mmCIF file of all heavy atoms in Angstrom:
data_model
loop_
_atom_site.group_PDB
_atom_site.id
_atom_site.type_symbol
_atom_site.label_atom_id
_atom_site.label_comp_id
_atom_site.label_asym_id
_atom_site.label_seq_id
_atom_site.Cartn_x
_atom_site.Cartn_y
_atom_site.Cartn_z
ATOM 1 N N ARG A 1 8.511 -1.648 11.088
ATOM 2 C CA ARG A 1 8.463 -0.253 10.696
ATOM 3 C C ARG A 1 7.429 -0.076 9.563
ATOM 4 O O ARG A 1 7.119 -1.004 8.762
ATOM 5 C CB ARG A 1 9.817 0.215 10.164
ATOM 6 C CG ARG A 1 10.964 0.134 11.170
ATOM 7 C CD ARG A 1 12.133 0.913 10.662
ATOM 8 N NE ARG A 1 12.467 0.623 9.248
ATOM 9 C CZ ARG A 1 13.271 -0.252 8.772
ATOM 10 N NH1 ARG A 1 13.970 -1.002 9.712
ATOM 11 N NH2 ARG A 1 13.531 -0.462 7.487
ATOM 12 N N LEU A 2 6.904 1.126 9.452
ATOM 13 C CA LEU A 2 5.846 1.355 8.521
ATOM 14 C C LEU A 2 6.343 1.242 7.063
ATOM 15 O O LEU A 2 5.581 0.750 6.189
ATOM 16 C CB LEU A 2 5.261 2.786 8.709
ATOM 17 C CG LEU A 2 4.019 3.105 7.831
ATOM 18 C CD1 LEU A 2 2.899 2.087 8.005
ATOM 19 C CD2 LEU A 2 3.561 4.592 8.112
ATOM 20 N N ASP A 3 7.597 1.598 6.756
ATOM 21 C CA ASP A 3 8.059 1.384 5.400
ATOM 22 C C ASP A 3 8.134 -0.057 4.994
ATOM 23 O O ASP A 3 7.813 -0.427 3.845
ATOM 24 C CB ASP A 3 9.457 2.129 5.256
ATOM 25 C CG ASP A 3 10.577 1.534 6.158
ATOM 26 O OD1 ASP A 3 10.239 1.306 7.370
ATOM 27 O OD2 ASP A 3 11.638 1.330 5.704
ATOM 28 N N GLU A 4 8.524 -0.883 5.928
ATOM 29 C CA GLU A 4 8.541 -2.363 5.726
ATOM 30 C C GLU A 4 7.094 -2.865 5.509
ATOM 31 O O GLU A 4 6.868 -3.739 4.620
ATOM 32 C CB GLU A 4 9.211 -3.078 6.881
ATOM 33 C CG GLU A 4 10.664 -2.758 7.070
ATOM 34 C CD GLU A 4 11.216 -3.366 8.359
ATOM 35 O OE1 GLU A 4 10.454 -3.529 9.311
ATOM 36 O OE2 GLU A 4 12.420 -3.725 8.246
ATOM 37 N N ARG A 5 6.190 -2.405 6.306
ATOM 38 C CA ARG A 5 4.795 -2.848 6.226
ATOM 39 C C ARG A 5 4.184 -2.389 4.873
ATOM 40 O O ARG A 5 3.465 -3.127 4.209
ATOM 41 C CB ARG A 5 3.995 -2.259 7.374
ATOM 42 C CG ARG A 5 4.301 -2.888 8.767
ATOM 43 C CD ARG A 5 3.688 -2.082 9.855
ATOM 44 N NE ARG A 5 2.278 -1.851 9.689
ATOM 45 C CZ ARG A 5 1.521 -0.922 10.245
ATOM 46 N NH1 ARG A 5 2.133 -0.038 11.092
ATOM 47 N NH2 ARG A 5 0.236 -0.793 10.036
ATOM 48 N N LEU A 6 4.410 -1.114 4.519
ATOM 49 C CA LEU A 6 3.972 -0.636 3.203
ATOM 50 C C LEU A 6 4.540 -1.479 2.069
ATOM 51 O O LEU A 6 3.768 -1.770 1.130
ATOM 52 C CB LEU A 6 4.383 0.860 3.046
ATOM 53 C CG LEU A 6 3.950 1.484 1.701
ATOM 54 C CD1 LEU A 6 2.420 1.371 1.445
ATOM 55 C CD2 LEU A 6 4.394 2.953 1.671
ATOM 56 N N ALA A 7 5.826 -1.762 2.112
ATOM 57 C CA ALA A 7 6.405 -2.612 1.097
ATOM 58 C C ALA A 7 5.732 -3.976 0.999
ATOM 59 O O ALA A 7 5.406 -4.474 -0.104
ATOM 60 C CB ALA A 7 7.910 -2.712 1.258
ATOM 61 N N ARG A 8 5.488 -4.564 2.152
ATOM 62 C CA ARG A 8 4.838 -5.838 2.161
ATOM 63 C C ARG A 8 3.443 -5.804 1.549
ATOM 64 O O ARG A 8 3.020 -6.590 0.814
ATOM 65 C CB ARG A 8 4.711 -6.382 3.621
ATOM 66 C CG ARG A 8 3.846 -7.616 3.817
ATOM 67 C CD ARG A 8 3.664 -7.993 5.283
ATOM 68 N NE ARG A 8 2.947 -6.952 6.056
ATOM 69 C CZ ARG A 8 1.642 -6.789 6.036
ATOM 70 N NH1 ARG A 8 0.867 -7.590 5.423
ATOM 71 N NH2 ARG A 8 1.119 -5.834 6.869
ATOM 72 N N TRP A 9 2.685 -4.749 1.990
ATOM 73 C CA TRP A 9 1.304 -4.546 1.518
ATOM 74 C C TRP A 9 1.233 -4.365 0.012
ATOM 75 O O TRP A 9 0.394 -4.955 -0.684
ATOM 76 C CB TRP A 9 0.610 -3.446 2.255
ATOM 77 C CG TRP A 9 -0.835 -3.377 2.005
ATOM 78 C CD1 TRP A 9 -1.797 -4.142 2.436
ATOM 79 C CD2 TRP A 9 -1.456 -2.372 1.165
ATOM 80 N NE1 TRP A 9 -3.044 -3.732 1.981
ATOM 81 C CE2 TRP A 9 -2.837 -2.674 1.163
ATOM 82 C CE3 TRP A 9 -0.906 -1.306 0.414
ATOM 83 C CZ2 TRP A 9 -3.738 -1.888 0.411
ATOM 84 C CZ3 TRP A 9 -1.881 -0.485 -0.298
ATOM 85 C CH2 TRP A 9 -3.205 -0.799 -0.214
ATOM 86 N N LEU A 10 2.121 -3.558 -0.516
ATOM 87 C CA LEU A 10 2.166 -3.348 -1.956
ATOM 88 C C LEU A 10 2.584 -4.602 -2.750
ATOM 89 O O LEU A 10 2.021 -4.820 -3.778
ATOM 90 C CB LEU A 10 3.221 -2.224 -2.246
ATOM 91 C CG LEU A 10 2.804 -0.777 -1.830
ATOM 92 C CD1 LEU A 10 3.915 0.173 -2.104
ATOM 93 C CD2 LEU A 10 1.575 -0.375 -2.618
ATOM 94 N N LEU A 11 3.392 -5.386 -2.138
ATOM 95 C CA LEU A 11 3.818 -6.685 -2.748
ATOM 96 C C LEU A 11 2.548 -7.608 -2.824
ATOM 97 O O LEU A 11 2.297 -8.267 -3.894
ATOM 98 C CB LEU A 11 4.850 -7.420 -2.064
ATOM 99 C CG LEU A 11 6.242 -6.780 -2.147
ATOM 100 C CD1 LEU A 11 7.221 -7.416 -1.151
ATOM 101 C CD2 LEU A 11 6.822 -7.030 -3.587
ATOM 102 N N MET A 12 1.804 -7.687 -1.752
ATOM 103 C CA MET A 12 0.564 -8.487 -1.751
ATOM 104 C C MET A 12 -0.440 -8.071 -2.788
ATOM 105 O O MET A 12 -1.090 -8.856 -3.495
ATOM 106 C CB MET A 12 -0.002 -8.531 -0.308
ATOM 107 C CG MET A 12 0.875 -9.257 0.686
ATOM 108 S SD MET A 12 0.081 -9.171 2.353
ATOM 109 C CE MET A 12 -1.430 -10.193 2.019
ATOM 110 N N LEU A 13 -0.605 -6.727 -2.888
ATOM 111 C CA LEU A 13 -1.504 -6.159 -3.837
ATOM 112 C C LEU A 13 -1.063 -6.397 -5.297
ATOM 113 O O LEU A 13 -1.796 -6.732 -6.145
ATOM 114 C CB LEU A 13 -1.701 -4.674 -3.582
ATOM 115 C CG LEU A 13 -3.020 -4.108 -4.024
ATOM 116 C CD1 LEU A 13 -4.269 -4.780 -3.521
ATOM 117 C CD2 LEU A 13 -3.091 -2.593 -3.751
ATOM 118 N N HIS A 14 0.306 -6.206 -5.476
ATOM 119 C CA HIS A 14 0.895 -6.411 -6.804
ATOM 120 C C HIS A 14 0.746 -7.870 -7.316
ATOM 121 O O HIS A 14 0.467 -8.115 -8.463
ATOM 122 C CB HIS A 14 2.382 -6.014 -6.693
ATOM 123 C CG HIS A 14 3.068 -5.959 -8.018
ATOM 124 N ND1 HIS A 14 4.250 -6.600 -8.266
ATOM 125 C CD2 HIS A 14 2.700 -5.406 -9.220
ATOM 126 C CE1 HIS A 14 4.598 -6.361 -9.482
ATOM 127 N NE2 HIS A 14 3.707 -5.658 -10.091
ATOM 128 N N ASP A 15 0.783 -8.791 -6.309
ATOM 129 C CA ASP A 15 0.599 -10.206 -6.727
ATOM 130 C C ASP A 15 -0.810 -10.413 -7.279
ATOM 131 O O ASP A 15 -0.973 -11.313 -8.150
ATOM 132 C CB ASP A 15 0.750 -11.104 -5.459
ATOM 133 C CG ASP A 15 2.206 -11.293 -5.053
ATOM 134 O OD1 ASP A 15 3.117 -11.092 -5.924
ATOM 135 O OD2 ASP A 15 2.397 -11.696 -3.955
ATOM 136 N N ARG A 16 -1.720 -9.701 -6.806
ATOM 137 C CA ARG A 16 -3.148 -9.875 -7.223
ATOM 138 C C ARG A 16 -3.617 -8.893 -8.255
ATOM 139 O O ARG A 16 -4.799 -8.813 -8.598
ATOM 140 C CB ARG A 16 -4.020 -9.787 -5.969
ATOM 141 C CG ARG A 16 -3.695 -10.938 -4.993
ATOM 142 C CD ARG A 16 -4.202 -10.646 -3.549
ATOM 143 N NE ARG A 16 -4.028 -11.793 -2.708
ATOM 144 C CZ ARG A 16 -2.898 -12.062 -2.038
ATOM 145 N NH1 ARG A 16 -1.862 -11.316 -2.223
ATOM 146 N NH2 ARG A 16 -2.818 -13.134 -1.231
ATOM 147 N N ALA A 17 -2.703 -8.036 -8.754
ATOM 148 C CA ALA A 17 -3.099 -7.022 -9.745
ATOM 149 C C ALA A 17 -2.850 -7.569 -11.127
ATOM 150 O O ALA A 17 -2.155 -8.625 -11.365
ATOM 151 C CB ALA A 17 -2.235 -5.714 -9.485
ATOM 152 N N GLU A 18 -3.326 -6.884 -12.170
ATOM 153 C CA GLU A 18 -3.147 -7.296 -13.494
ATOM 154 C C GLU A 18 -1.959 -6.555 -14.218
ATOM 155 O O GLU A 18 -1.539 -6.949 -15.269
ATOM 156 C CB GLU A 18 -4.437 -6.904 -14.331
ATOM 157 C CG GLU A 18 -5.638 -7.752 -13.959
ATOM 158 C CD GLU A 18 -6.249 -7.317 -12.632
ATOM 159 O OE1 GLU A 18 -6.439 -6.036 -12.432
ATOM 160 O OE2 GLU A 18 -6.585 -8.151 -11.796
ATOM 161 N N ASP A 19 -1.408 -5.554 -13.545
ATOM 162 C CA ASP A 19 -0.285 -4.817 -14.128
ATOM 163 C C ASP A 19 0.513 -4.181 -12.992
ATOM 164 O O ASP A 19 0.156 -4.322 -11.805
ATOM 165 C CB ASP A 19 -0.727 -3.868 -15.223
ATOM 166 C CG ASP A 19 -1.742 -2.872 -14.697
ATOM 167 O OD1 ASP A 19 -1.586 -2.295 -13.629
ATOM 168 O OD2 ASP A 19 -2.786 -2.673 -15.418
ATOM 169 N N ASP A 20 1.607 -3.475 -13.356
ATOM 170 C CA ASP A 20 2.470 -2.836 -12.379
ATOM 171 C C ASP A 20 1.822 -1.574 -11.766
ATOM 172 O O ASP A 20 2.212 -1.161 -10.687
ATOM 173 C CB ASP A 20 3.825 -2.487 -13.005
ATOM 174 C CG ASP A 20 4.613 -3.739 -13.311
ATOM 175 O OD1 ASP A 20 4.389 -4.748 -12.668
ATOM 176 O OD2 ASP A 20 5.454 -3.652 -14.233
ATOM 177 N N ARG A 21 0.949 -0.985 -12.513
ATOM 178 C CA ARG A 21 0.292 0.226 -12.028
ATOM 179 C C ARG A 21 -0.965 -0.177 -11.282
ATOM 180 O O ARG A 21 -1.892 -0.825 -11.889
ATOM 181 C CB ARG A 21 0.004 1.241 -13.177
ATOM 182 C CG ARG A 21 -0.784 2.431 -12.722
ATOM 183 C CD ARG A 21 -0.785 3.532 -13.719
ATOM 184 N NE ARG A 21 -1.939 4.420 -13.542
ATOM 185 C CZ ARG A 21 -2.009 5.625 -13.976
ATOM 186 N NH1 ARG A 21 -1.049 6.133 -14.771
ATOM 187 N NH2 ARG A 21 -3.024 6.469 -13.741
ATOM 188 N N ILE A 22 -1.139 0.366 -10.065
ATOM 189 C CA ILE A 22 -2.287 -0.036 -9.211
ATOM 190 C C ILE A 22 -2.990 1.241 -8.845
ATOM 191 O O ILE A 22 -2.409 2.151 -8.376
ATOM 192 C CB ILE A 22 -1.807 -0.782 -7.979
ATOM 193 C CG1 ILE A 22 -0.905 -1.956 -8.341
ATOM 194 C CG2 ILE A 22 -2.975 -1.195 -7.106
ATOM 195 C CD1 ILE A 22 -0.235 -2.655 -7.165
ATOM 196 N N ASP A 23 -4.312 1.311 -9.076
ATOM 197 C CA ASP A 23 -5.167 2.441 -8.657
ATOM 198 C C ASP A 23 -5.262 2.446 -7.098
ATOM 199 O O ASP A 23 -5.911 1.645 -6.545
ATOM 200 C CB ASP A 23 -6.431 2.415 -9.343
ATOM 201 C CG ASP A 23 -6.392 2.603 -10.838
ATOM 202 O OD1 ASP A 23 -5.436 3.235 -11.289
ATOM 203 O OD2 ASP A 23 -7.236 2.129 -11.533
ATOM 204 N N LEU A 24 -4.598 3.428 -6.513
ATOM 205 C CA LEU A 24 -4.573 3.542 -5.057
ATOM 206 C C LEU A 24 -4.477 5.029 -4.693
ATOM 207 O O LEU A 24 -3.664 5.786 -5.279
ATOM 208 C CB LEU A 24 -3.474 2.771 -4.425
ATOM 209 C CG LEU A 24 -3.540 1.269 -4.276
ATOM 210 C CD1 LEU A 24 -2.146 0.789 -3.781
ATOM 211 C CD2 LEU A 24 -4.628 0.871 -3.336
ATOM 212 N N THR A 25 -5.166 5.501 -3.710
ATOM 213 C CA THR A 25 -4.973 6.824 -3.180
ATOM 214 C C THR A 25 -4.322 6.681 -1.842
ATOM 215 O O THR A 25 -4.219 5.576 -1.253
ATOM 216 C CB THR A 25 -6.393 7.539 -2.897
ATOM 217 O OG1 THR A 25 -7.074 6.818 -1.885
ATOM 218 C CG2 THR A 25 -7.140 7.559 -4.232
ATOM 219 N N GLN A 26 -3.759 7.786 -1.299
ATOM 220 C CA GLN A 26 -3.106 7.734 -0.043
ATOM 221 C C GLN A 26 -4.113 7.378 1.056
ATOM 222 O O GLN A 26 -3.858 6.707 2.075
ATOM 223 C CB GLN A 26 -2.448 9.099 0.325
ATOM 224 C CG GLN A 26 -1.211 9.358 -0.518
ATOM 225 C CD GLN A 26 -0.503 10.579 -0.128
ATOM 226 O OE1 GLN A 26 0.632 10.876 -0.659
ATOM 227 N NE2 GLN A 26 -0.988 11.372 0.749
ATOM 228 N N ALA A 27 -5.386 7.832 0.835
ATOM 229 C CA ALA A 27 -6.390 7.444 1.863
ATOM 230 C C ALA A 27 -6.681 5.986 1.901
ATOM 231 O O ALA A 27 -6.905 5.408 2.934
ATOM 232 C CB ALA A 27 -7.695 8.238 1.501
ATOM 233 N N ASP A 28 -6.639 5.307 0.663
ATOM 234 C CA ASP A 28 -6.775 3.874 0.652
ATOM 235 C C ASP A 28 -5.649 3.179 1.426
ATOM 236 O O ASP A 28 -5.989 2.326 2.261
ATOM 237 C CB ASP A 28 -6.709 3.343 -0.838
ATOM 238 C CG ASP A 28 -7.831 3.882 -1.679
ATOM 239 O OD1 ASP A 28 -8.946 4.088 -1.161
ATOM 240 O OD2 ASP A 28 -7.714 3.898 -2.933
ATOM 241 N N ILE A 29 -4.451 3.594 1.198
ATOM 242 C CA ILE A 29 -3.339 2.964 1.896
ATOM 243 C C ILE A 29 -3.388 3.233 3.387
ATOM 244 O O ILE A 29 -3.190 2.297 4.161
ATOM 245 C CB ILE A 29 -2.020 3.462 1.285
ATOM 246 C CG1 ILE A 29 -1.914 3.137 -0.250
ATOM 247 C CG2 ILE A 29 -0.839 2.837 2.016
ATOM 248 C CD1 ILE A 29 -0.728 3.729 -0.960
ATOM 249 N N ALA A 30 -3.669 4.419 3.739
ATOM 250 C CA ALA A 30 -3.830 4.765 5.205
ATOM 251 C C ALA A 30 -4.886 3.926 5.799
ATOM 252 O O ALA A 30 -4.689 3.504 6.948
ATOM 253 C CB ALA A 30 -4.125 6.246 5.337
ATOM 254 N N GLY A 31 -6.046 3.723 5.120
ATOM 255 C CA GLY A 31 -7.108 2.890 5.792
ATOM 256 C C GLY A 31 -6.682 1.478 5.907
ATOM 257 O O GLY A 31 -7.046 0.812 6.893
ATOM 258 N N MET A 32 -5.898 0.937 4.994
ATOM 259 C CA MET A 32 -5.487 -0.492 5.004
ATOM 260 C C MET A 32 -4.500 -0.682 6.181
ATOM 261 O O MET A 32 -4.511 -1.678 6.878
ATOM 262 C CB MET A 32 -4.958 -0.941 3.734
ATOM 263 C CG MET A 32 -5.920 -0.996 2.586
ATOM 264 S SD MET A 32 -7.356 -1.997 2.789
ATOM 265 C CE MET A 32 -8.556 -0.780 3.154
ATOM 266 N N LEU A 33 -3.595 0.302 6.360
ATOM 267 C CA LEU A 33 -2.531 0.101 7.285
ATOM 268 C C LEU A 33 -2.898 0.661 8.640
ATOM 269 O O LEU A 33 -2.098 0.550 9.626
ATOM 270 C CB LEU A 33 -1.221 0.799 6.741
ATOM 271 C CG LEU A 33 -0.650 0.181 5.509
ATOM 272 C CD1 LEU A 33 0.572 0.918 5.033
ATOM 273 C CD2 LEU A 33 -0.310 -1.301 5.684
ATOM 274 N N GLY A 34 -3.968 1.410 8.759
ATOM 275 C CA GLY A 34 -4.414 1.993 10.000
ATOM 276 C C GLY A 34 -3.505 3.118 10.515
ATOM 277 O O GLY A 34 -3.288 3.274 11.637
ATOM 278 N N VAL A 35 -3.082 3.974 9.536
ATOM 279 C CA VAL A 35 -2.246 5.118 9.935
ATOM 280 C C VAL A 35 -2.815 6.432 9.236
ATOM 281 O O VAL A 35 -3.750 6.316 8.487
ATOM 282 C CB VAL A 35 -0.763 4.925 9.470
ATOM 283 C CG1 VAL A 35 -0.171 3.730 10.176
ATOM 284 C CG2 VAL A 35 -0.689 4.731 7.909
ATOM 285 N N ARG A 36 -2.161 7.544 9.550
ATOM 286 C CA ARG A 36 -2.634 8.844 8.984
ATOM 287 C C ARG A 36 -2.187 8.977 7.539
ATOM 288 O O ARG A 36 -1.157 8.412 7.133
ATOM 289 C CB ARG A 36 -2.146 9.978 9.812
ATOM 290 C CG ARG A 36 -2.694 10.016 11.286
ATOM 291 C CD ARG A 36 -2.201 11.246 11.953
ATOM 292 N NE ARG A 36 -0.715 11.299 12.070
ATOM 293 C CZ ARG A 36 0.057 12.156 11.443
ATOM 294 N NH1 ARG A 36 -0.540 13.100 10.697
ATOM 295 N NH2 ARG A 36 1.360 12.093 11.556
ATOM 296 N N ARG A 37 -2.877 9.680 6.710
ATOM 297 C CA ARG A 37 -2.517 9.881 5.336
ATOM 298 C C ARG A 37 -1.159 10.585 5.242
ATOM 299 O O ARG A 37 -0.404 10.310 4.359
ATOM 300 C CB ARG A 37 -3.593 10.774 4.615
ATOM 301 C CG ARG A 37 -4.909 9.997 4.419
ATOM 302 C CD ARG A 37 -5.990 10.969 3.868
ATOM 303 N NE ARG A 37 -5.628 11.550 2.588
ATOM 304 C CZ ARG A 37 -6.382 12.404 1.921
ATOM 305 N NH1 ARG A 37 -7.542 12.737 2.331
ATOM 306 N NH2 ARG A 37 -5.968 12.917 0.733
ATOM 307 N N ALA A 38 -0.953 11.565 6.155
ATOM 308 C CA ALA A 38 0.356 12.213 6.140
ATOM 309 C C ALA A 38 1.512 11.301 6.283
ATOM 310 O O ALA A 38 2.576 11.464 5.700
ATOM 311 C CB ALA A 38 0.386 13.374 7.161
ATOM 312 N N THR A 39 1.295 10.350 7.195
ATOM 313 C CA THR A 39 2.339 9.315 7.417
ATOM 314 C C THR A 39 2.581 8.491 6.183
ATOM 315 O O THR A 39 3.726 8.131 5.835
ATOM 316 C CB THR A 39 1.944 8.432 8.630
ATOM 317 O OG1 THR A 39 1.710 9.258 9.729
ATOM 318 C CG2 THR A 39 3.103 7.423 8.919
ATOM 319 N N VAL A 40 1.544 8.046 5.519
ATOM 320 C CA VAL A 40 1.652 7.322 4.278
ATOM 321 C C VAL A 40 2.421 8.160 3.266
ATOM 322 O O VAL A 40 3.326 7.557 2.547
ATOM 323 C CB VAL A 40 0.299 6.897 3.709
ATOM 324 C CG1 VAL A 40 0.400 6.360 2.255
ATOM 325 C CG2 VAL A 40 -0.374 5.926 4.601
#
């Protein structure tokens, strides 16, 4: 499911980030997951 995939992707990014706040737009996330921005 997309919610599971989004959680996985955020965890992977969080592992490689310097803090809890990550600069991301909905367009960024949509592009990484291959879905529409509205779905994100």
